[in-house]
Each structure stands twice: as structure tokens, then as C-alpha cells.
Amino acid sequence: MSKKNYIFAIFILVSVFQMNAQTDSLKTETPIQDEFTKLIEESNNYQGYKVVDYDKLIDLRNTTRNYITELKEEIIVQKNTVDQQNDEIEKLKSQLNSTQEDLTRVTEEKDALMFLGMPFSKGGYKAMMWGIVAVLVVILLILFFRYKSSHAATRDAKQKLNETEKEFDAYRTKALEKEQRLGRMLQDERNKTSGNS
């Protein structure tokens, strides 16, 4: 719980205790009740009626008026206090909402990482990084297999070239031997021809 939440809770508790104290004070005896009791006790009885002193009755009326005026003033003060407390509560609520929004924003910024100038959540960033690693691994495997395939093809081509060169060398050797044999035979024929003449 944040400091502002504690202050808000304490403010509400103080307001409740203050209202209870004011309510309890209204339940106690008032000056008017005291004067009524005193007036009745000091009144004389006459044929089953109470005879009340006029001046005391006027005093009671004045006391009642004064008390009602005081009560009205107290009501105005209490209303102003309640209004002020409501304003404070609204301010505290607004501050609390603002604080919660700031907390949410700070939490989001804390959980976000910047990559190439763009914000990412930690989960999104990890997923993207693993995706990039997976793509690189796939590309590496493709290059490896292509290299292996081309290497095998190159090896086969070299082997075929070597075989062809050997065959060509053998053919050239045979052709040379044949040419030499034919040359000798031709020379032998020439020798025979020249010997007979």
C-alpha cells in the first residue's frame, strides 16, 4: 500500500470519528431542555394547570431562538466541513487515480525493452530473439546441407574428371602405340619395296 493510500485511509477514519462525536454531542441534553425542566419545576399549580412566569417564558423563547440560531450556524459549519472533506476526498481520489496511472505506466516501461527504436515487452522481446535464433539456425542448416551437397557434387565431378583423364591418357597411349606400330609397318613395307627394286 502506498503512502497516499495510507493518508487517504487515515483521513476517512478521522472524518468518521468526527461525525460520530458530533452525533453524540447532539444526543446530550440541550439548554432548552434544561430551561423547560426548570420552568416546569418552578411553575405553580393552579386548579390542575401550571402557572408559568411570563418573564421566564420570554427567556425560554429567547433561549430557544438563540439555540436554533446556534444550531443553524453549526449546521452551516458542519455542511462546509462536509463539503470541504468531500473536496479533499475527491482530490485524494484524483491523486490516487493519477498515482495508479503513473504506476501502471512505470511498470509497463520497466517491463518494456527497446529494440531498433521500438518498445517490446520482455516476453515479446524473448520470443522475437528466439525467433531470430531459430531463423539463423534454419539458414545455417540450409547453408550446411547445400555446402555438403555441392561439396559432394564437386568431389564426384573431380573423380569423373580424373577417370576421364585416365581414360584419355590410356587412349592417347594406345593411339601412340598404334601410330608407332603403323609407322614401323609402313617403314617395313618401304624397306621391302626398296629391297625388291
Side-chain angles (χ1 to χ4, degrees):
M1 209 175 183
S2 69
K3 188 176 180 182
K4 287 189 177 181
N5 288 350
Y6 280 123
I7 293 171
F8 183 70
I10 290 170
F11 179 75
I12 294 294
L13 286 173
V14 169
S15 299
V16 169
F17 285 131
Q18 187 177 1
M19 287 181 174
N20 286 340
Q22 289 165 357
T23 306
D24 291 341
S25 69
L26 291 175
K27 290 179 184 175
T28 59
E29 297 236 341
T30 64
I32 296 172
Q33 288 174 322
D34 292 341
E35 279 203 37
F36 262 117
T37 304
K38 187 176 176 185
L39 185 65
I40 291 168
E41 287 173 354
E42 291 179 357
S43 300
N44 296 322
N45 290 325
Y46 177 74
Q47 294 181 354
Y49 297 101
K50 283 280 187 182
V51 178
V52 179
D53 186 331
Y54 179 77
D55 291 334
K56 289 182 180 178
L57 191 59
I58 296 299
D59 288 342
L60 178 60
R61 184 189 69 180
N62 292 337
T63 303
T64 304
R65 278 184 186 166
N66 291 338
Y67 186 67
I68 289 172
T69 302
E70 287 175 8
L71 285 178
K72 285 180 180 177
E73 290 173 357
E74 181 67 22
I75 288 170
I76 290 170
V77 169
Q78 293 297 330
K79 185 178 181 303
N80 290 337
T81 303
V82 169
D83 290 343
Q84 186 178 359
Q85 288 173 346
N86 286 336
D87 289 342
E88 287 292 325
I89 289 170
E90 289 302 318
K91 284 180 188 174
L92 287 171
K93 281 182 181 177
S94 176
Q95 288 176 356
L96 181 62
N97 289 335
S98 176
T99 304
Q100 286 175 340
E101 287 172 4
D102 290 343
L103 180 63
T104 303
R105 182 177 49 78
V106 167
T107 303
E108 287 173 355
E109 287 176 359
K110 180 183 157 194
D111 289 340
L113 296 170
M114 296 299 288
F115 182 73
L116 299 176
M118 294 180 293
F120 286 93
S121 67
K122 284 184 179 175
Y125 179 77
K126 284 182 182 176
M128 186 184 65
M129 285 294 115
W130 281 113
I132 290 172
V133 169
V135 168
L136 290 174
V137 167
V138 169
I139 290 172
L140 188 64
L141 287 173
I142 290 170
L143 290 175
F144 174 74
F145 285 118
R146 288 186 71 180
Y147 169 76
K148 196 172 178 184
S149 170
S150 64
H151 182 66
T154 305
R155 191 179 61 225
D156 290 344
K158 281 184 180 178
Q159 188 175 354
K160 285 181 182 178
L161 180 64
N162 287 336
E163 289 173 0
T164 305
E165 284 179 351
K166 285 178 183 177
E167 287 176 6
F168 181 70
D169 286 343
Y171 173 76
R172 191 171 53 183
T173 304
K174 285 181 182 178
L176 187 58
E177 288 175 356
K178 189 175 183 181
E179 185 182 340
Q180 288 174 353
R181 194 172 62 243
L182 287 172
R184 280 194 300 270
M185 286 173 63
L186 181 62
Q187 189 63 39
D188 288 342
E189 287 298 322
R190 281 183 188 162
N191 289 341
K192 284 182 187 179
T193 317
S194 62
N196 289 333
S197 59

